[in-house]
Amino acid sequence: MRRNLQLRTTVSAAVMGAAVMGFAGVAAAQEAPASVDDIIVTAQKREQSLQDVPIVVTTLSQEVLDGAGVQDIKDLQILTPGMTVTSTQSEASTTVRIRGAGTVGDNPGLESSVGVVIDGVYRSRNSVGFGDLGELSRIEVLKGPQGTLFGKNTSAGVINIITERPSFDPSISGELTGGNFGAIGGSVSVTGGLTDQIAGRLFVAHRERDGFYDVNNGDGPNTRKDDQTQDYWTTRGQLLILPSDDVSVRLIADYTKREEYCCVAVQTRVGPSQAFIAALTAPNGPGQRPPVAGFGTVPFSRLAYSNRETPQEIEDMGLSAEATIDFPSINATLTSQTSWRDWSFQQGMDVDYTGADILYRANDGSNGYGVDNLTQEFRLAGATDKFDWLVGLFATKEGVYRDDSYVYGSDYNAFASLLLTASVPAAFGGPSPARTGCFTNPQGFAVGTSGPLLGQPLCVLGLVPPSPTAPVFSAGKAYEDHYSQRSESVAVFTNNTYRVTEAFDINLGLRYTYDSKRLLGVQDNLGTNGAACGGALANQNPANRLPGTVGTPTAALGLLCLPWSNPQYDGRRIQEKFSDTDLSGTIKASYRFNPSIMVYGSYARGYKGAGYNMDRVQTGVTPDASLFFEAETVDSYEAGIKTTLFDRTMLLNVTYFDQKFENFQLNTFLGTAFVVESIPELKSRGVDADMVWFTPVEGLSFQGGVTYTDAKYGVFGPGDLSSPGRFPQLSLLPGARASFAPEWSLTGALAFDRELGGGLRGGFNLSAKYSTEYNTGSDLLPYKNQDAFTVVNGRVSIGSADERWTLEVWGQNLLEEEYTQVGFAAPLQGTAFANTTTPQADGTYYNMATDTATYNAYLGAPRTYGVTLKVKY
């Protein structure tokens, strides 16, 4: 019985694939026409028809995923309206957003708003779920809070990934791919019965590719001429054990290793500080893109400037065991899901993104983070004629560490001096690379005391030399910080559906969660780092100053006492802990007018745990006393209709949603550090529509969707933030559209596959996504806007009718669309907020006319194309 059940599950998946892509041969083998009824999902942790589930679910079969070229989560967004996936400083900083809600992934202290679940195992960070997904059975994208069944940190949705299970029927398949940018890769999969009760599956893949960026090395020592390369291998082994008719055990072990170079960025707007960059890199080039007249946006280019290499190493491994026991006497099934995972990441990076040797992270083991966790879930589910019930227990222990360090390059002190003396008139020699000491003398900032030089900065103007004892910035490692967080979480949950009548169902789910975290941290400056800031801070005390001197100007203090150069962090020890509880849940009601039309309404409350910002965070020049940020909650209301049309060959589902997030965890880069701030309110309202159509034309099908989103922050002021001093940099947010929230998002995938005669079969797939404009920065600065764009992928195949071989010609981003993933202000290169004391007439602190910042961007992938040969026996 148990083996038959497993085989029926496999058949169901195969039929679903045949339905979505129109594989006539497979459908005929099942002796059933392609039908909406064949689309099965596990959105409620039990197998159900998609049209019976009162949740917005975009389900994607293996064939649809293959046709669109999906290999990882980032590729998935072309098939999912209302979802964006971006990467920033590294591929480890990958973030998923649904309906405009998500968490920027640059800080491991933040957990995800969109949960990633692979074969029942929850990945607590989006980056931990990023990588080659291997052999996919299907992917389900669940929109809206899903915490009742999938746990905390799914306040915006879930990506539920189901891979292929072992089969008792032996087969071997392989794939070899070559493409532009020097791409080459391949995979091999073997499956079959090992005994009458045990089946296995082994998948191995390796892929390499040159970089998507050209690199100007400037001062060096970097010699690489490309960046954003690909070089990884992955393996996944499985055993399916069926010891009896009522027991099933699935064991999975996987390992992935990536050794790549990523991520440089390109300039999109170049400010006045470029003149200083060019002076420091001469004669080795301009150091970054030259500015245009009026310091406007520069033309699109994939040329990046980086004098330091960007190596990254990612190692990911895990074990999981899923055991199910059927109890036929009570029509119930007990499921146990156990997992252990260990993920680690190390990198080096050019922090200033220029050819000048200013600031970088060394790839010496002192920059990276890791996550290890152990999870256990038990679920007992059953059904009667009127009642489907489920109760469960989930527990996890997780460890997170982060190591962070900066290194001053040989140009850092000179660049700081040029910035500090930027306003010196040409009559006095103009900006100088050798006057940092004018600002750091503990005995005072020298000014004129009489005549025309009264109050003038004598040292800055070059009229007196800097004190030989005034500290400056020396090349070398500035600091090393270490953070370690341990967390424990336990939850009990239930999800139940009562059939009031044959047409009317009510679903109720509840989840009670206990969450605790403890953070330990050590922040240490190295060598004499901090002395320059310390000198400037010392001369703020009149008792320390010599006659004819004043304290270092406040504006200069901001540059001298940045988080990485502030002596107040030296030897700082951090120890914080908290515990929290939350009750979340959902209630849904659905009514089926007839077999083709169902309407439903739902309410759900989601919860995303509190945490700690593992970074140096300060207000002014004073380190924040606590790194804690509050938990995030969401209340979501939905009303939808699911329809099955044209003799059950088309589904058309439409849902209105209204979500309100409270204490929305915003991670934003303020030019010198990432800061987590809880925004009081974010509302996301709109409509989701999904469609699948198995057309009358043999082998032709269409799948698509539309999402309209109106995601806006509530109105708030300085007093609503944990640190009121951050309001000026966040003053564009109140009442504004959230970042990464296009008003309209449309997807479509047209697929054709059928036998051509003569022992051949052929087909094509055309997938596209259109997004209206949106802002790519958490602070909503206008230079980070992305215009509306469309990405199109295509694939044409020819092969044998029995699928023994298939040759595919494919292309991604066929229209060579030029677009930005994420925009950001370049560190130390100008300022967007010239005035943080007096607001503008509109209540913000931003004035484009006084914005001197240089802006960089991480770009979307260019056009790629290639050929893939697949074989199967």
Side-chain angles (χ1 to χ4, degrees):
M1 173 181 172
R2 170 59 60 175
R3 178 172 175 179
N4 291 338
L5 175 61
Q6 298 298 328
L7 293 176
R8 284 199 298 271
T9 302
T10 304
V11 167
S12 176
V15 174
M16 182 183 72
V20 173
M21 290 295 291
F23 280 101
V26 176
Q30 302 304 321
E31 299 182 355
S35 167
V36 170
D37 298 327
D38 296 323
I39 303 178
I40 305 300
V41 298
T42 53
Q44 297 191 119
K45 296 208 171 180
R46 62 173 79 228
E47 288 195 354
Q48 295 174 280
S49 168
L50 172 63
Q51 297 303 82
D52 291 334
V53 178
I55 300 173
V56 179
V57 182
T58 298
T59 182
L60 306 165
S61 74
Q62 180 188 71
E63 289 76 17
V64 168
L65 296 166
D66 286 347
V70 173
Q71 290 182 335
D72 57 39
I73 292 174
K74 190 181 292 186
D75 296 332
L76 183 64
Q77 60 189 321
I78 196 171
L79 297 171
T80 311
M83 185 175 84
T84 61
V85 187
T86 58
S87 296
T88 53
Q89 293 182 347
S90 70
E91 295 291 6
S93 301
T94 299
T95 300
V96 182
R97 300 169 182 84
I98 292 177
R99 297 172 174 172
T103 301
V104 176
D106 299 277
N107 192 318
L110 285 95
E111 298 175 81
S112 308
S113 294
V114 178
V116 176
V117 178
I118 302 178
D119 289 328
V121 176
Y122 171 68
R123 310 294 176 94
S124 61
R125 308 294 188 280
N126 288 165
S127 55
V128 178
F130 176 79
D132 193 306
L133 298 174
E135 300 175 286
L136 296 171
S137 176
R138 68 180 184 276
I139 294 179
E140 303 164 3
V141 180
L142 287 58
K143 298 180 180 179
Q146 306 296 329
T148 302
L149 287 172
F150 289 93
K152 63 170 187 165
N153 308 326
T154 58
S155 54
V158 167
I159 300 175
N160 188 26
I161 299 166
I162 300 96
T163 68
E164 286 280 22
R165 302 168 69 92
S167 171
F168 282 89
D169 297 324
S171 70
I172 181 170
S173 60
E175 163 260 325
L176 182 64
T177 294
N180 62 334
F181 291 97
I184 186 169
S187 65
V188 175
S189 174
V190 181
T191 189
L194 304 178
T195 70
D196 289 342
Q197 296 179 319
I198 302 175
R201 179 179 289 272
L202 178 65
F203 171 81
V204 180
H206 175 71
R207 305 192 189 280
E208 297 181 12
R209 190 202 64 233
D210 296 335
F212 288 156
Y213 293 88
D214 296 321
V215 179
N216 182 307
N217 304 133
D219 285 346
N222 183 15
T223 60
R224 291 194 62 86
K225 297 300 182 183
D226 66 337
D227 195 85
Q228 201 177 13
T229 65
Q230 184 180 80
D231 186 357
Y232 72 86
W233 72 274
T234 183
T235 184
R236 182 181 182 87
Q238 300 184 61
L239 290 176
L240 178 62
I241 306 170
L242 308 178
S244 72
D245 289 345
D246 298 324
V247 179
S248 168
V249 179
R250 185 185 184 190
L251 305 177
I252 303 175
D254 65 270
Y255 179 86
T256 299
K257 178 77 170 182
R258 306 179 74 103
E259 295 181 319
E260 300 162 335
Y261 288 86
C262 189
C263 297
V264 294
V266 301
Q267 285 79 48
T268 56
R269 187 255 188 164
V270 181
S273 62
Q274 192 274 340
F276 303 152
I277 301 292
L280 293 171
T281 55
N284 298 316
Q288 64 182 180
R289 298 282 298 282
V292 299
F295 299 108
T297 56
V298 297
F300 184 92
S301 172
R302 290 190 176 275
L303 176 62
Y305 292 80
S306 179
N307 75 296
R308 295 286 176 173
E309 288 188 343
T310 62
Q312 64 172 22
E313 299 177 10
I314 298 175
E315 190 173 35
D316 183 22
M317 66 187 77
L319 301 170
S320 68
E322 180 187 66
T324 61
I325 305 174
D326 289 340
F327 298 98
S329 61
I330 59 171
N331 195 27
T333 299
L334 175 66
T335 301
S336 169
Q337 184 87 49
T338 308
S339 75
W340 167 83
R341 299 211 60 82
D342 190 290
W343 183 95
S344 61
F345 161 74
Q346 287 289 327
Q347 72 169 153
M349 68 177 294
D350 190 326
V351 175
D352 55 88
Y353 299 93
T354 75
D357 192 27
I358 299 174
L359 199 61
Y360 66 97
R361 284 185 167 114
N363 186 35
D364 60 0
S366 64
N367 294 284
Y369 71 92
V371 180
D372 66 85
N373 57 29
L374 180 67
T375 68
Q376 175 63 58
E377 181 174 273
F378 294 106
R379 298 190 308 273
L380 182 63
T384 67
D385 292 342
K386 301 281 288 184
F387 191 55
D388 294 344
W389 55 272
L390 182 150
V391 293
L393 170 71
F394 176 82
T396 180
K397 285 189 174 183
E398 179 179 80
V400 179
Y401 75 85
R402 184 188 184 212
D403 298 326
D404 188 35
S405 70
Y406 274 7
V407 182
Y408 293 131
S410 58
D411 292 330
Y412 186 90
N413 187 69
F415 185 58
S417 179
L418 288 167
L419 294 175
L420 291 167
T421 60
S423 61
V424 172
F428 290 92
S432 168
R435 295 180 189 165
T436 303
C438 297
F439 299 84
T440 63
N441 184 359
Q443 296 179 322
F445 181 77
V447 295
T449 56
S450 63
L453 294 177
L454 178 65
Q456 294 298 309
L458 300 179
C459 179
V460 174
L461 295 175
L463 300 178
V464 298
S467 168
T469 61
V472 295
F473 298 102
S474 301
K477 185 170 285 190
Y479 73 87
E480 282 192 6
D481 292 348
H482 308 277
Y483 306 88
S484 176
Q485 175 182 284
R486 303 300 300 179
S487 64
E488 297 180 355
S489 184
V490 178
V492 291
F493 57 94
T494 183
N495 192 68
N496 311 286
T497 300
Y498 178 65
R499 286 178 283 280
V500 181
T501 69
E502 290 187 0
F504 181 45
D505 291 352
I506 294 179
N507 173 270
L508 176 66
L510 290 172
R511 189 179 191 101
Y512 180 81
T513 301
Y514 168 82
D515 201 17
S516 70
K517 292 180 180 176
R518 181 185 182 189
L519 175 70
L520 300 176
V522 177
Q523 297 171 328
D524 267 330
N525 293 347
L526 302 180
T528 61
N529 180 42
C533 170
L537 291 176
N539 69 39
Q540 302 303 296
N541 184 350
N544 296 332
R545 297 198 293 258
L546 296 174
T549 64
V550 297
T552 298
T554 301
L557 279 178
L559 178 63
L560 295 168
C561 297
L562 291 164
W564 55 81
S565 58
N566 192 332
Q568 298 178 79
Y569 289 100
D570 191 25
R572 189 170 182 238
R573 301 298 186 262
I574 300 167
Q575 183 171 333
E576 300 188 54
K577 63 180 179 179
F578 79 91
S579 61
D580 192 17
T581 59
D582 179 78
L583 180 64
S584 56
T586 184
I587 183 169
K588 306 180 182 76
S590 61
Y591 185 81
R592 183 169 291 284
F593 289 97
N594 55 52
S596 299
I597 301 176
M598 184 186 81
V599 296
Y600 68 93
S602 69
Y603 163 78
R605 180 173 178 83
Y607 166 76
K608 181 182 175 188
Y612 297 105
N613 183 10
M614 297 183 184
D615 208 343
R616 293 190 171 198
V617 182
Q618 62 188 47
T619 302
V621 298
T622 304
D624 287 8
S626 173
L627 301 181
F628 177 79
F629 53 84
E630 295 182 355
E632 172 184 300
T633 60
V634 57
D635 293 289
S636 175
Y637 298 87
E638 295 186 357
I641 181 171
K642 294 196 171 188
T643 64
T644 308
L645 309 171
F646 305 133
D647 196 25
R648 311 194 72 77
T649 61
M650 175 188 287
L651 70 80
L652 179 61
N653 301 336
V654 182
T655 301
Y656 169 79
F657 60 88
D658 188 330
Q659 303 177 150
K660 184 173 78 170
F661 293 81
E662 294 183 341
N663 293 323
F664 179 73
Q665 296 170 358
L666 183 78
N667 188 33
T668 185
F669 182 64
L670 299 182
T672 57
F674 285 96
V675 173
V676 181
E677 185 60 69
S678 294
I679 305 302
E681 182 179 279
L682 169 66
K683 289 185 177 180
S684 178
R685 299 168 175 165
V687 176
D688 276 311
D690 288 291
M691 174 185 175
V692 176
W693 184 27
F694 312 117
T695 75
V697 178
E698 182 183 356
L700 182 66
S701 63
F702 174 80
Q703 178 164 348
V706 179
T707 297
Y708 168 78
T709 305
D710 182 20
K712 292 182 178 178
Y713 295 109
V715 176
F716 62 91
D720 298 311
L721 302 179
S722 62
S723 178
R726 295 178 190 144
F727 181 76
Q729 289 87 353
L730 300 176
S731 60
L732 291 173
L733 273 63
R737 175 175 290 275
S739 57
F740 299 97
E743 187 174 20
W744 289 96
S745 174
L746 294 81
T747 64
L750 183 67
F752 177 77
D753 190 286
R754 59 174 292 179
E755 292 191 19
L756 304 176
L760 295 177
R761 49 183 285 275
F764 68 84
N765 182 288
L766 195 64
S767 305
K769 183 175 186 178
Y770 168 77
S771 297
T772 53
E773 66 176 351
Y774 57 90
N775 195 288
T776 68
S778 298
D779 50 15
L780 301 182
L781 288 167
Y783 282 110
K784 301 177 184 180
N785 281 340
Q786 168 60 51
D787 293 335
F789 67 102
T790 302
V791 176
V792 179
N793 295 350
R795 188 173 299 255
V796 177
S797 64
I798 186 76
S800 64
D802 60 4
E803 301 184 56
R804 288 295 181 93
W805 65 270
T806 303
L807 185 67
E808 300 176 341
V809 179
W810 53 266
Q812 310 279 84
N813 192 8
L814 289 170
L815 303 182
E816 191 69 52
E817 190 72 86
E818 298 173 344
Y819 65 98
T820 292
Q821 287 193 79
V822 178
F824 64 99
L828 303 178
Q829 297 162 54
T831 179
F833 297 91
N835 176 14
T836 59
T837 57
T838 305
Q840 305 288 311
D842 61 1
T844 75
Y845 288 79
Y846 179 75
N847 184 345
M848 184 174 282
T850 61
D851 185 346
T852 61
T854 290
Y855 289 89
N856 294 341
Y858 304 104
L859 302 178
R863 177 194 294 135
T864 57
Y865 52 85
V867 177
T868 297
L869 175 64
K870 297 180 179 180
V871 295
K872 180 163 56 176
Y873 298 97

